[in-house]
Amino acid sequence: LSSWPACLLFGEKTIELGIPGVKGVDCSTDDSVRHTIYPTLYYGFLFLLFILCLVFFTVIYAKIGAVIWKRKKAKIGETIPSSPNGRALNNSNTPSDQISTDPISTEMSSEQDGYNDKRASSDSKQALGKRPSRNSVRVTRTTVVLFAVTVAYVISFLPFLIVMVVRSVVKNFEENLSPEAEVAYKFCSKSYFINNAINPVIYSFLNINFRKDIKTIFRKCCSACCGCRN
């Protein structure tokens, strides 16, 4: 929905090469709209949308981190704040060992004397399946993967949006660049491709089974190489 203006703004951009009668063509902002306000409005809109997403992700992960930090600091028998869905994790009317989980990709388990399996709620059975001697809070792999995807999104889109907004606002921006700065500019102008390429890598390499299969493949390759040499 946010990309459809690109069909109208992007096209052939004529580049002066300094050679009489010879001009270059670059796939960029079309010559017909290059000196209008429309590219600036479009990139400004994308930058605003990016900032809103960044603020949203920051707030969400800050709330997740705050809950994990509170649970790590909580001691057995202490009152734990209510979960985001409004259910109290512990209060004076229920045993202090009754714990419920919330859908924020965290797991908590504890062991206390007098624990009653029958009184545990169905949504806490998974968290209470293992009963270590101390309170423990573990961030699940899903949270780690989603956080890595968010960081990759920020790193890949931020350079692109910055250089596009600057190029739209500053006149003759590209003409005044040094060769080194032009290389950096070209990289930043296509940095959003990193997000498309790195997501499968994140999902794959943060998967335990995938890593095990990779190790198995390397071992087989090494064994095959050693067998051929022998």
Side-chain angles (χ1 to χ4, degrees):
L1 292 178
S2 62
S3 299
W4 68 266
C7 299
L8 305 176
L9 298 178
F10 294 161
E12 294 184 353
K13 171 187 173 184
T14 304
I15 300 177
E16 298 292 339
L17 302 179
I19 304 175
V22 179
K23 295 183 179 180
V25 178
D26 185 20
C27 183
S28 181
T29 304
D30 193 82
D31 289 337
S32 60
V33 296
R34 185 179 178 186
H35 298 292
T36 65
I37 195 175
Y38 298 114
T40 303
L41 292 177
Y42 176 59
Y43 292 124
F45 166 73
L46 291 182
F47 196 84
L48 177 61
L49 188 63
F50 172 83
I51 295 298
L52 293 176
C53 292
L54 181 60
V55 171
F56 173 77
F57 288 136
T58 302
V59 172
I60 292 299
Y61 283 113
K63 292 175 69 69
I64 293 176
V67 173
I68 295 174
W69 178 260
K70 289 179 181 178
R71 291 187 175 186
K72 282 186 176 182
K73 293 299 181 181
K75 297 181 180 179
I76 295 177
E78 288 184 346
T79 300
I80 302 177
S82 298
S83 62
N85 59 11
R87 299 181 59 183
L89 298 180
N90 201 354
N91 53 50
S92 58
N93 297 326
T94 58
S96 60
D97 57 345
Q98 187 171 343
I99 300 173
S100 63
T101 58
D102 50 39
I104 60 170
S105 297
T106 61
E107 297 178 359
M108 183 174 181
S109 56
S110 64
E111 180 183 20
Q112 290 184 355
D113 295 334
Y115 173 78
N116 189 350
D117 290 324
K118 295 181 180 180
R119 305 182 71 177
S121 58
S122 59
D123 61 346
S124 64
K125 289 182 180 179
Q126 183 178 0
L128 294 172
K130 297 182 180 181
R131 297 161 59 188
S133 58
R134 296 181 180 180
N135 282 359
S136 62
V137 178
R138 180 174 66 85
V139 180
T140 62
R141 191 168 303 277
T142 301
T143 304
V144 176
V145 171
L146 295 180
F147 181 76
V149 170
T150 302
V151 172
Y153 162 75
V154 173
I155 293 177
S156 60
F157 271 95
L158 186 58
F160 162 73
L161 293 173
I162 290 177
V163 297
M164 290 298 104
V165 171
V166 172
R167 188 185 71 175
S168 301
V169 175
V170 180
K171 296 182 178 180
N172 300 324
F173 172 72
E174 297 180 59
E175 286 75 6
N176 298 326
L177 294 176
S178 64
E180 294 79 9
E182 186 175 0
V183 172
Y185 161 74
K186 290 295 184 181
F187 175 81
C188 291
S189 64
K190 301 296 187 293
S191 65
Y192 57 89
F193 284 118
I194 297 176
N195 185 68
N196 300 333
I198 202 172
N199 279 347
V201 177
I202 293 175
Y203 285 118
S204 298
F205 281 95
L206 290 180
N207 185 292
I208 296 177
N209 293 330
F210 179 83
R211 294 202 303 268
K212 289 181 178 178
D213 291 340
I214 291 295
K215 293 179 181 179
T216 302
I217 291 176
F218 275 107
R219 290 195 190 100
K220 290 181 179 180
C221 290
C222 293
S223 299
C225 292
C226 293
C228 291
R229 291 178 180 178
N230 294 334

